[in-house]
Amino acid sequence: MTSVLHANERTEFKKSSRRKTREEGQIPAVVYGNDTENKSISVDSKDFIKTIRETGRNGIIDLEIGSDKRKVMLYDYQVDPLKSMEFVHLDFHVVNFKSEIDVDVTVHVTGDAAGVKDGGVLQQVLHEASVKVLPGDVPDSIDVDVSNLQVNETITFGDLDTSGKYKFNHEDDEVIASILPPRQEEEIDSGEEQEPGEPELVEGREKNNDSDNEA
């Protein structure tokens, strides 16, 4: 899916200028790649978030900078560490549809694992997978079906079928998800043996009673 995102070229690069850009609801950004001259731009924050929701993290975007139009992908981004949903800078990469790229794709675990029904615990080790793929063939997500996964079994990248459209940048034996055995409570044993006899509190009461009788 492709969406249009309008941008304005930036000519001021001081820190104060970038701060002013953000205060005006714009996000400072740069566009480069595919034998294209680097250009500093800014995009409307609300329009950018709407575009990413429509296209997805790795979608193709029609970036319009005045009369200049380029097909780009979001290559990288920075967010405010104190405001996780506030973007402070964006990197757009001009798309070459004939050249493969490396992108991170979300991993979704699907199905109800047989091992979980037997009391096991599903552990998803990886939530993103790196793939080498043509820009036009980037999958929305990597779906991993765990329905047949039993206790103490794992699913690795070697178990997945890519259908030839992309290649994983992972070793075949790298684990994606596994079923851990049911957790068992361990009995706590201090290893100390108590000496026979009555508790000290009882002995204390007997002494107090003896004192009272003497009185």
Side-chain angles (χ1 to χ4, degrees):
M1 182 178 181
T2 305
S3 292
V4 178
L5 180 63
H6 299 281
N8 298 311
E9 188 170 359
R10 288 188 296 126
T11 56
E12 295 289 336
F13 308 106
K14 294 181 180 179
K15 186 175 181 180
S16 59
S17 298
R18 293 196 299 271
R19 183 170 60 250
K20 182 180 179 182
T21 297
R22 298 187 187 101
E23 290 174 350
E24 293 174 347
Q26 301 281 314
I27 308 173
V30 62
V31 57
Y32 56 89
N34 195 21
D35 298 326
T36 301
E37 183 180 356
N38 291 11
K39 184 170 289 190
S40 296
I41 60 173
S42 64
V43 298
D44 183 82
S45 177
K46 293 181 180 178
D47 288 346
F48 168 72
I49 293 174
K50 179 182 177 182
T51 298
I52 292 300
R53 286 175 177 170
E54 291 175 349
T55 65
R57 169 66 175 82
N58 297 311
I60 306 297
I61 299 171
D62 282 328
L63 186 67
E64 294 187 354
I65 313 170
S67 59
D68 184 11
K69 299 181 180 180
R70 310 179 188 185
K71 290 189 179 298
V72 302
M73 294 178 66
L74 178 63
Y75 181 76
D76 197 8
Y77 61 88
Q78 298 174 13
V79 296
D80 188 324
L82 301 179
K83 303 174 183 178
S84 59
M85 290 305 295
E86 184 173 317
F87 294 91
V88 297
H89 194 272
L90 309 170
D91 285 20
F92 293 103
H93 194 276
V94 179
V95 173
N96 179 355
F97 287 94
K98 296 181 180 180
S99 178
E100 290 184 324
I101 56 175
D102 293 330
V103 296
D104 291 331
V105 181
T106 300
V107 174
H108 284 159
V109 169
T110 64
D112 296 324
V116 171
K117 296 177 183 178
D118 292 335
V121 179
L122 174 63
Q123 181 183 51
Q124 184 175 348
V125 180
L126 290 178
H127 294 269
E128 282 190 335
S130 175
V131 300
K132 183 178 291 293
V133 60
L134 291 174
D137 292 331
V138 177
D140 294 330
S141 63
I142 304 295
D143 295 329
V144 180
D145 186 3
V146 297
S147 300
N148 297 323
L149 205 60
Q150 302 287 346
V151 173
N152 290 324
E153 290 185 345
T154 63
I155 287 184
T156 67
F157 281 97
D159 297 322
L160 302 185
D161 179 16
T162 64
S163 300
K165 289 187 176 181
Y166 51 86
K167 298 177 183 178
F168 289 118
N169 295 319
H170 298 268
E171 298 295 333
D172 285 348
D173 60 355
E174 190 169 349
V175 175
I176 300 171
S178 62
I179 302 295
L180 303 179
R183 296 178 179 176
Q184 297 179 351
E185 296 183 0
E186 296 181 358
E187 294 184 0
I188 301 176
D189 183 5
S190 64
E192 297 180 358
E193 294 184 1
Q194 295 184 351
E195 295 182 0
E198 296 185 14
E200 292 181 1
L201 186 58
V202 174
E203 294 175 355
R205 284 205 303 268
E206 289 179 348
K207 290 179 180 179
N208 290 336
N209 291 337
D210 291 343
S211 299
D212 292 341
N213 293 331
E214 291 175 358

